Amino acid sequence: MELLLPVVFLLLLPLLLVPLAFLARRPRCRQTPPLSLLVVAGSGGHTTEILRLLSCLSESYSPRHYVFADSDKMSEAKIRSFEQKRAEIFSNSQYAKFTLDRIPRSREVRQSWMSSVGTTLYSLLYSLPLTYRLQPDLILCNGPGTCVPVCISALLLGLLRIKRAVIVYVESICRVETLSLSGKILYYLSDYFIVQWPELKEKYPRSVYLGRIV
């Protein structure tokens, strides 16, 4: 009986090696390449909503470039606090990369439409070199007036074939029946226009209704 054990082992050896060879030849799962993300923050509840959206994203969205108005006194502190908490969750040093940039506010609260044309053009002059320097893969915004010149700058870079960025606009949860001024403009310029109320989907058929996401 003891003499048969080596023979049996030799007969079974190929059966054990075949599965191992098969597993060794299987292609390894490729990691998702990082996507450069530009996030437009805004005063009031805009920054809070956009950070809630970012908390659902994976570590593949890196680096993250935050842009907000130079008169915004609250967004920077909120963003730094958010990034610090995310750095504790994701130990990858690559994910920890983020930048903060300010541009002139394109439109103040209750500013007239006529005067806002000049301030928006002025903001656009700052946005163009900034967007060219960052060259993001994806732009995420949710309503602050600052996002209009940033998105227009990204569209110009795409038309010039310098860098094509995907623009995702998420209308604020506060907008139930009508779009914000930024939304009315970017409805025709964004790649994906997301609303959070069915009433808006009925009025704007090009939009994407996903329910409440923030």
Side-chain angles (χ1 to χ4, degrees), residues 37-196:
L37 175 63
L38 191 154
V39 181
V40 184
S43 57
H46 290 297
T47 298
T48 301
E49 289 187 8
I50 206 73
L51 292 179
R52 287 177 183 172
L53 288 174
L54 290 178
S55 65
C56 301
L57 299 181
S58 70
E59 56 185 322
S60 298
Y61 294 87
S62 178
R64 289 163 307 289
H65 306 291
Y66 295 93
V67 179
F68 46 94
D70 53 5
S71 59
D72 187 348
K73 306 301 181 183
M74 301 176 63
S75 292
E76 181 174 352
K78 291 181 179 180
I79 293 169
R80 289 190 180 278
S81 176
F82 169 80
E83 286 291 341
Q84 183 177 1
K85 293 178 181 178
R86 294 288 282 179
E88 296 173 357
I89 299 174
F90 298 100
S91 58
N92 188 352
S93 59
Q94 180 69 24
Y95 180 81
K97 293 182 178 180
F98 71 95
T99 63
L100 299 171
D101 291 282
R102 295 177 179 270
I103 62 173
R105 186 182 291 273
S106 61
R107 184 174 182 268
E108 297 288 349
V109 178
R110 296 180 181 178
Q111 182 180 352
S112 66
W113 286 33
M114 292 299 295
S115 62
S116 64
V117 173
T119 53
T120 299
L121 291 175
Y122 180 64
S123 181
L124 182 62
L125 293 177
Y126 277 80
S127 300
L128 272 170
L130 175 62
T131 309
Y132 176 77
R133 173 170 61 85
L134 299 177
Q135 295 195 14
D137 299 306
L138 176 66
I139 296 178
L140 181 62
C141 49
N142 69 334
T146 309
C147 69
V148 175
V150 172
C151 291
I152 292 177
S153 300
L155 289 172
L156 290 176
L157 292 183
L159 291 175
L160 295 174
R161 297 185 178 182
I162 297 175
K163 176 67 177 183
R164 170 75 167 87
V166 176
I167 300 175
V168 178
Y169 182 92
V170 182
E171 186 58 284
S172 173
I173 187 66
C174 299
R175 291 292 175 169
V176 180
E177 297 182 351
T178 60
L179 296 178
S180 61
L181 178 58
S182 300
K184 292 176 181 178
I185 297 173
L186 294 179
Y187 176 73
Y188 302 98
L189 303 178
S190 59
D191 296 282
Y192 300 96
F193 192 93
I194 300 173
V195 296
Q196 303 186 61

